Amino acid sequence: MRPGTYKALENHLRDVTAKHGEGYYHVIHFDVHGAVLTYQQFQHIQKEPAGNPLRYKRYARDEIQPYDGVKAFLSFETDNEEQDKKSDLVEASELASLLVKHQVPITILNACQSGKQLGERETSLGSHLIQAGLQLVLAMGYSVTVSAAELLMSTLYRHLFAGHDLAVAIRHARTELYNNKERRAYFDQKIDLEDWLLPVVYQNQPVTLQPRDFTPEERTDWFEHKAEEKRYTPPDPQYGFVGRDIDILQIEKRLLTRRNILLVRGMGGAGKTTLLRHLASWSHTTGFVQHVFYFGYDEKAWNLQQIMTSIAQNLYGPKYYTDFQPLPLALQQAMLSQDLRGKNHLLILDNLESITGAHLAIQHTLPPEEQATLRSFLSDLAKGHTLVLLGSRSGEDWLAKGTFDDNIYELPGLDPEAATTLADRILERNNATKYRQDEDLRKLIKVLDGFPLALEVVLANLAHQTPTEVLSALQAGDVSIDPKSDSQDKTESILRCIDYSHSNLSPEAQQLLLCLAPFTSVIWIDYLDEYTEQLRKQTVLSSLPFERWPEVIQEAINWGLLSPDPKIPRFLRLQPIFPYFLRNRLYAPEKREVRNAVETAFREYYNQLGDMLYQLLQSKESQKRQVSQIITSLEYENLVTALHLALAAHVSIHNPYFALSRYLDAAQDQNRGLQLGQSVLNSLETYSIDKLEGQLGFDFANVVGDVANRQLELKRYEEAEISYQKVLNLLSHLEHLDKKECRRLKAGTYHQLGNVAYEQRQWEQAEQYYQQALQIDIEYNDRYAQARTYHQLGMVAQEQRQWEQAEQYYQQALQIKIEYNDRYAQASTYHQLGMVAQEQRQWEQAREYFLQALEIFVEYKDTYSGGVVLRSLARLWKSSGDSNLPVSVATTLGYSVEETEKLLREMLEEE
């Protein structure tokens, strides 16, 4: 069913019933998502607009009214006018009414949770459909893997078409799941799952299917269709066709709901041609279209007459010579346009970027008059039944008006799962599966951003190099990793793929774009002026036409070298191999001076940006923290590059390093943070002693302290203590430079040594370290730093059941945090005050403290810490018997009281 909307399903069933009568279909199969939801969850997913119930009219259904408990839903695609809704949720009774009306007896739900039961009541989608009158429903008891669904459904239908009873077919399908437990995971790995129990059958009366044989006419049609399939089936890509499910779904939906002409635009190497050829085969095989016509401008410069001749010969057969060929060109266009508009065919014009490239000496271009006739023909097809797919690296503005207009699909790289599947096939082909878990392989896959050509060319080097070596070669622009770089085929060489677009840029654009060589993944366009300021400071670069950045950037976008990030358009994504291409040119011996200047400017720019992100990541305002985490995640690879450049230049690494480190703190990724810190320490320890006794010594001490913090978080206490003592020793050699800074760092180090002792329950030692830290903070009037130490002293007192002392310390910490408006930090202290009150059976006081902590963690979207507080509230509920507590928690979480009580009970059961 295309598109996969409730409206399309209802219309189709109505049309079929009108033509063939009720009961024409015996089985309906839903390959969609399913869920069991409360009313609040339903509202959140549907984004129902408050106070405006008429904004979204649910097609052929009434509005969902508030309800208690849960209901079961299937998730359909939204109609075109509801693009800001994620999905159209159809409630079980609504779907059942539709299927019963048209007498469809069997429903197969390849939908997660469609058979999921909550509590004793019949809440599942499958049970609702049976209650509403369907004869048999096959549903899924829980989330099911794609590979399990493939095995289950193929076995089921094979036995059904063999004439077996439905119950027997289902039994065979379950047995196949039981006998073959291997399921696909990331990196195409196999894991064993006992998921044969997931299919759940609901039945209220016997159902028998009696497939009949083809009639002679049906048999002839079938074999004609199969014979024609061969003509449309493209050769398999080197590693097979991988992924693209979502892309195909979105392309089909846009063709059907927006406009029947669509431009598929993607950077070089994204796999446009492979996808379009696959779509040709897929569309014909699945009956989406009758005929497919493919024309690639990488093969020849197809003019309109050649295109129409090819289509007409295929459509009209012998009548081409009598009814079509004798006509003048204008009448041929009118006749063919009319026939195409009236029937479901698919026309594909690929590699359109070649058409307008005459001034760039590109082959297969079309002169302006031929461009005009082609545009006229495509305009005639607009709003007809024939679907038109256009493939290009550029926006094809010359063609847009009256054809695809703004109906453009930006083709990304493969999704992460498909990218790892392709990567694993490449590893197997090149005998490199030993690198599956290698961290640098994961970095390579991330940098290559799912672009098939880049993955295929770069990862093939793992046959004779390690991932670390390949990653280094990629970052250095080493031509050796592109063995077919001498080839002129842009589908085999990553350098030729980029050169095809890069050579079509103006000389000024090519000069400026060399300045982007150090970037990886993204460029933040809002800060391009700041980067340009650093470039201008470099004498060898000062004469570049920086004022032309906007048009140069647009040229690069037009040729598929840059593209706006789909979620944050102010960030431009680089085609994954584009930086490699630029470095290959910039790192030529004759460019050494230019390279040094560009890298210096890049390093200085990220020193400034790193400082800004570091400050924002520590902001007391939750929104600023969240925004800075998003930005740092996008800029991560660029910050790492700047960090390496700073290490090589023996200049301060503080800003890029600590921007990365604080980001990893926010992500709670301690192992990755430890790897980062240790790699930087390895570099710093190669510096001369005089360097480390200067200003860079503070960077060294700070990084050692940061590594110690990671060791502490990972419970490697002995290593952490050694590292903290090393920090104290380093600082003793730096006091002549800045005594106050040394004392501040010493206070923080004593505090952390206190944490090491605390974690090992060495209360006396912990208190001693905390008091040392506190005395320094008081000496330098560092009120804010005092708060954390008062909090930890409270923890030590609490562990020793010194309730009054603990509460006093916590209150001192809380007052300072309130004074400095550090709302997020207040939460942990409120939680501890609640613990102290609970221990003293001060139930009401404990509840208030816990709720204040929970409210803050919810506000900051800290689900982990919020979960810790929820467990404390669950224990308090059990101890105090406070019946109002779930009501207060529900208000804070935005849940129903029923949901909240269930959540609290589950937490108690887990303990």
Side-chain angles (χ1 to χ4, degrees):
M1 179 62 58
R2 292 159 162 123
T5 63
Y6 182 82
K7 180 178 180 180
L9 175 63
E10 196 278 341
N11 289 350
H12 179 74
L13 289 176
R14 182 151 38 94
D15 292 344
V16 168
T17 297
K19 184 176 181 180
H20 301 286
E22 294 172 342
Y24 178 76
Y25 286 120
H26 299 99
V27 179
I28 186 165
H29 181 122
F30 291 99
D31 187 0
V32 297
H33 291 294
V36 179
L37 305 171
T38 64
Y39 182 67
Q40 288 81 2
Q41 290 170 328
F42 167 79
Q43 281 186 308
H44 176 72
I45 294 173
Q46 291 290 258
K47 288 188 164 61
E48 294 290 347
N52 187 8
L54 298 178
R55 184 177 171 195
Y56 297 138
K57 298 298 292 184
R58 303 174 75 244
Y59 184 82
R61 292 158 292 155
D62 294 329
E63 297 301 312
I64 295 287
Q65 300 301 315
Y67 57 86
D68 294 328
V70 294
K71 287 190 175 185
F73 295 87
L74 273 189
S75 176
F76 283 69
E77 286 284 314
T78 58
D79 290 328
N80 188 44
E81 60 270 17
E82 300 178 339
Q83 292 175 36
D84 52 342
K85 291 174 69 175
K86 293 181 180 178
S87 63
D88 180 14
L89 293 178
V90 179
E91 199 265 322
S93 62
E94 297 172 333
L95 183 62
S97 297
L98 177 67
L99 300 183
V100 169
K101 178 180 177 181
H102 297 283
Q103 295 187 17
V104 182
I106 300 171
T107 299
I108 294 177
L109 300 174
N110 184 15
C112 298
Q113 302 184 27
S114 51
K116 184 178 180 181
Q117 192 72 30
L118 295 179
E120 297 179 358
R121 295 173 54 203
E122 288 288 341
T123 57
S124 74
L125 180 58
S127 66
H128 275 280
L129 293 175
I130 286 293
Q131 291 167 20
L134 296 185
Q135 296 175 34
L136 186 145
V137 178
L138 173 64
M140 298 297 153
Y142 204 67
S143 297
V144 61
T145 63
V146 173
S147 51
E150 287 175 357
L151 182 60
L152 171 71
M153 295 305 167
S154 61
T155 306
L156 174 70
Y157 283 118
R158 185 170 63 252
H159 284 277
L160 281 178
F161 291 131
H164 293 164
D165 181 81
L166 185 61
V168 173
I170 292 171
R171 186 166 66 248
H172 278 294
R174 276 210 188 105
T175 302
E176 195 63 28
L177 288 177
Y178 179 81
N179 290 337
N180 183 358
K181 296 180 171 64
E182 278 193 349
R183 305 291 176 256
R184 282 198 307 274
Y186 270 62
F187 273 100
D188 215 17
Q189 294 297 287
K190 304 296 189 293
I191 55 175
D192 284 352
L193 291 178
E194 295 284 354
D195 52 10
W196 58 275
L197 288 167
L198 292 181
V200 180
V201 178
Y202 299 85
Q203 187 171 3
N204 60 21
Q205 56 183 290
V207 180
T208 302
L209 294 178
Q210 296 179 330
R212 61 169 174 79
D213 289 334
F214 280 142
T215 65
E217 294 79 9
E218 288 171 338
R219 185 177 300 278
T220 299
D221 289 344
W222 168 255
F223 283 113
E224 284 180 355
H225 186 81
K226 296 301 286 183
E228 198 171 3
E229 272 182 22
K230 289 186 177 180
R231 190 157 61 87
Y232 297 136
T233 302
D236 266 347
Q238 183 179 4
Y239 297 98
F241 187 83
V242 178
R244 295 301 188 193
D245 306 55
I246 299 300
D247 300 305
I248 292 170
L249 180 66
Q250 289 300 315
I251 286 170
E252 290 182 350
K253 183 179 177 183
R254 286 166 184 253
L255 285 168
L256 292 170
T257 62
R258 289 193 181 183
R259 198 171 178 86
N260 69 313
I261 305 178
L262 173 71
L263 173 65
V264 178
R265 180 171 64 183
M267 299 181 184
K272 294 182 298 300
T273 296
T274 300
L275 174 60
L276 290 174
R277 288 190 176 277
H278 177 81
L279 278 166
S281 173
W282 164 258
S283 300
H284 181 265
T285 300
T286 58
F288 191 26
V289 297
Q290 297 176 41
H291 295 283
V292 178
F293 312 102
Y294 177 93
F295 304 94
Y297 283 85
D298 56 334
E299 300 167 354
K300 62 182 288 186
W302 294 93
N303 61 33
L304 178 59
Q305 187 166 9
Q306 292 168 332
I307 289 171
M308 290 200 303
T309 297
S310 177
I311 295 173
Q313 287 175 339
N314 187 287
L315 278 184
Y316 302 138
K319 289 186 177 182
Y320 164 80
Y321 298 100
T322 58
D323 296 357
F324 184 82
Q325 191 179 45
L327 297 176
L329 186 61
L331 295 186
Q332 285 182 351
Q333 180 175 336
M335 177 181 173
L336 187 57
S337 297
Q338 180 175 319
D339 288 344
L340 289 175
R341 286 179 60 84
K343 293 188 178 175
N344 285 359
H345 302 301
L346 175 61
L347 171 61
I348 299 175
L349 302 181
D350 195 12
N351 293 293
L352 291 183
E353 65 270 8
S354 298
I355 289 179
T356 57
H359 65 292
L360 302 166
I362 296 177
Q363 292 182 339
H364 309 155
T365 59
L366 289 179
E369 59 273 17
E370 289 288 357
Q371 294 176 28
T373 58
L374 180 59
R375 182 171 61 246
S376 170
F377 176 66
L378 293 177
S379 297
D380 289 345
L381 300 183
K383 301 183 181 179
H385 284 87
T386 285
L387 308 175
V388 182
L389 282 174
L390 310 172
S392 180
R393 297 186 180 197
S394 66
E396 305 304 332
D397 295 339
W398 66 274
L399 182 61
K401 188 175 182 181
T403 60
F404 63 87
D405 286 346
D406 62 347
N407 196 19
I408 301 173
Y409 184 70
E410 300 285 354
L411 184 66
L414 297 171
D415 64 70
E417 185 175 357
T420 57
T421 298
L422 176 58
D424 198 67
R425 293 181 184 180
I426 298 168
L427 295 180
E428 286 185 350
R429 179 80 60 87
N430 291 279
N431 298 314
T433 53
K434 61 186 175 184
Y435 297 126
R436 276 175 176 150
Q437 304 305 318
D438 192 286
E439 182 61 29
D440 280 333
L441 173 63
R442 296 182 184 277
K443 290 179 183 177
L444 269 172
I445 293 173
K446 182 180 179 184
V447 167
L448 298 175
D449 203 23
F451 276 55
L453 177 62
L455 287 165
E456 291 169 12
V457 172
V458 174
L459 297 189
N461 289 276
L462 295 174
H464 50 82
Q465 291 180 281
T466 67
T468 304
E469 290 169 339
V470 174
L471 183 61
S472 297
L474 186 67
Q475 291 168 339
D478 187 343
V479 72
S480 66
I481 63 170
D482 187 15
K484 295 188 178 181
S485 59
D486 291 335
S487 164
Q488 293 306 306
D489 189 344
K490 63 185 174 68
T491 67
E492 294 185 349
S493 164
I494 51 178
L495 285 174
R496 295 286 75 78
C497 173
I498 299 302
D499 190 45
Y500 177 79
S501 293
H502 186 265
S503 63
N504 298 325
L505 301 173
S506 62
E508 294 84 357
Q510 293 183 26
Q511 272 189 303
L512 271 181
L513 288 174
L514 274 181
C515 297
L516 303 184
F519 287 86
T520 304
S521 300
V522 299
I523 300 166
W524 193 1
I525 202 70
D526 289 344
Y527 277 75
L528 187 59
D529 286 346
E530 282 75 2
Y531 180 48
T532 301
E533 182 182 340
Q534 296 300 327
L535 292 168
R536 289 184 189 277
K537 291 179 181 178
Q538 311 304 314
T539 305
V540 71
L541 305 175
S542 59
S543 61
L544 289 177
F546 294 114
E547 69 281 355
R548 296 193 58 190
W549 265 128
E551 60 188 274
V552 168
I553 293 293
Q554 190 57 53
E555 272 193 75
I557 291 173
N558 292 344
W559 277 99
L561 298 172
L562 302 171
S563 67
D565 183 272
K567 294 181 180 178
I568 312 176
R570 300 307 296 169
F571 280 87
L572 296 179
R573 290 202 166 272
L574 293 94
Q575 198 276 7
I577 297 301
F578 187 37
Y580 164 72
F581 173 87
L582 294 175
R583 290 167 198 160
N584 177 261
R585 298 200 163 199
L586 186 62
Y587 289 11
E590 66 273 14
K591 294 279 189 181
R592 179 178 296 278
E593 192 178 0
V594 174
R595 170 188 170 180
N596 290 339
V598 169
E599 289 182 344
T600 299
F602 181 86
R603 188 190 73 222
E604 290 298 326
Y605 166 62
Y606 274 98
N607 186 55
Q608 293 179 0
L609 189 60
D611 182 47
M612 182 188 78
L613 293 172
Y614 172 60
Q615 301 301 330
L616 288 173
L617 285 162
Q618 300 183 104
S619 172
K620 302 179 182 68
E621 298 177 33
S622 61
Q623 188 174 6
K624 287 184 178 180
R625 283 183 179 178
Q626 291 161 17
V627 169
S628 62
Q629 287 168 26
I630 293 170
I631 294 171
T632 309
S633 69
L634 290 167
E635 292 278 15
Y636 192 92
E637 284 78 16
N638 290 331
L639 286 162
V640 169
T641 300
L643 175 61
H644 289 156
L645 290 173
L647 286 167
H650 289 198
V651 297
S652 176
I653 51 93
H654 182 278
N655 293 341
Y657 175 83
F658 280 99
L660 292 166
S661 183
R662 292 296 84 83
Y663 167 73
L664 294 173
D665 282 342
Q668 297 180 352
D669 194 341
Q670 301 300 336
N671 283 309
R672 196 171 164 199
L674 183 59
Q675 290 172 5
L676 174 71
Q678 288 178 330
S679 69
V680 171
L681 281 185
N682 291 339
S683 295
L684 289 172
E685 285 170 350
T686 65
Y687 287 16
S688 62
I689 293 175
D690 61 311
K691 281 276 186 185
L692 294 179
E693 288 186 350
Q695 287 295 331
L696 285 177
F698 284 107
D699 282 359
F700 189 27
N702 279 316
V703 174
V704 174
D706 195 57
V707 166
N709 294 342
R710 305 289 180 195
Q711 293 165 335
L712 172 57
E713 289 292 332
L714 293 168
K715 302 185 185 305
R716 292 155 65 164
Y717 301 125
E718 187 175 344
E719 293 175 33
E721 185 171 4
I722 291 171
S723 295
Y724 286 129
Q725 292 293 351
K726 182 177 180 179
V727 174
L728 292 175
N729 181 55
L730 289 169
L731 292 173
S732 66
H733 294 88
L734 298 172
E735 288 199 0
H736 66 284
L737 294 173
D738 190 335
K739 184 176 181 180
K740 184 176 180 179
E741 177 66 8
C742 283
R743 295 289 285 170
R744 184 187 68 79
L745 291 174
K746 279 187 176 181
T749 306
Y750 281 127
H751 178 92
Q752 292 301 100
L753 281 165
N755 288 344
V756 173
Y758 174 87
E759 290 294 332
Q760 298 175 89
R761 304 184 67 79
Q762 299 167 358
W763 311 128
E764 186 177 344
Q765 181 68 72
E767 185 172 5
Q768 181 181 335
Y769 279 133
Y770 289 140
Q771 289 293 353
Q772 284 179 278
L774 187 61
Q775 291 308 310
I776 296 174
D777 290 334
I778 291 172
E779 176 187 348
Y780 285 89
N781 195 31
D782 191 343
R783 288 275 292 163
Y784 187 70
Q786 293 169 33
R788 63 179 181 180
T789 306
Y790 279 126
H791 181 97
Q792 289 304 117
L793 284 165
M795 297 276 284
V796 171
Q798 181 179 342
E799 289 290 346
Q800 299 176 86
R801 306 183 68 79
Q802 299 168 358
W803 310 126
E804 186 176 345
Q805 182 67 71
E807 185 175 3
Q808 181 180 338
Y809 280 136
Y810 286 140
Q811 288 292 355
Q812 285 178 285
L814 183 61
Q815 291 310 309
I816 295 172
K817 292 175 182 181
I818 291 172
E819 175 186 334
Y820 280 84
N821 194 31
D822 191 345
R823 185 158 167 74
Y824 179 78
Q826 293 167 31
S828 59
T829 306
Y830 277 126
H831 182 231
Q832 292 306 125
L833 281 165
M835 299 283 282
V836 171
Q838 185 176 4
E839 288 289 348
Q840 299 177 85
R841 304 179 67 81
Q842 299 169 357
W843 309 130
E844 186 175 346
Q845 186 66 70
R847 185 185 72 174
E848 292 308 310
Y849 282 138
F850 285 149
L851 287 173
Q852 284 176 290
L854 181 63
E855 180 183 339
I856 294 171
F857 286 134
V858 168
E859 176 188 335
Y860 280 78
K861 296 182 174 61
D862 186 344
T863 53
Y864 176 81
S865 300
V868 173
V869 178
L870 277 172
R871 291 184 186 280
S872 295
L873 282 161
R875 288 190 287 269
L876 178 62
W877 185 38
K878 179 181 178 181
S879 300
S880 66
D882 184 353
S883 59
N884 291 322
L885 186 145
V887 178
S888 301
V889 175
T891 301
T892 302
L893 295 178
Y895 290 180
S896 68
V897 175
E898 182 184 32
E899 285 179 290
T900 303
E901 289 185 351
K902 179 176 179 296
L903 176 63
L904 295 175
R905 287 194 187 96
E906 287 175 350
M907 288 182 163
L908 290 171
E909 288 170 3
E910 289 172 3
E911 294 190 341

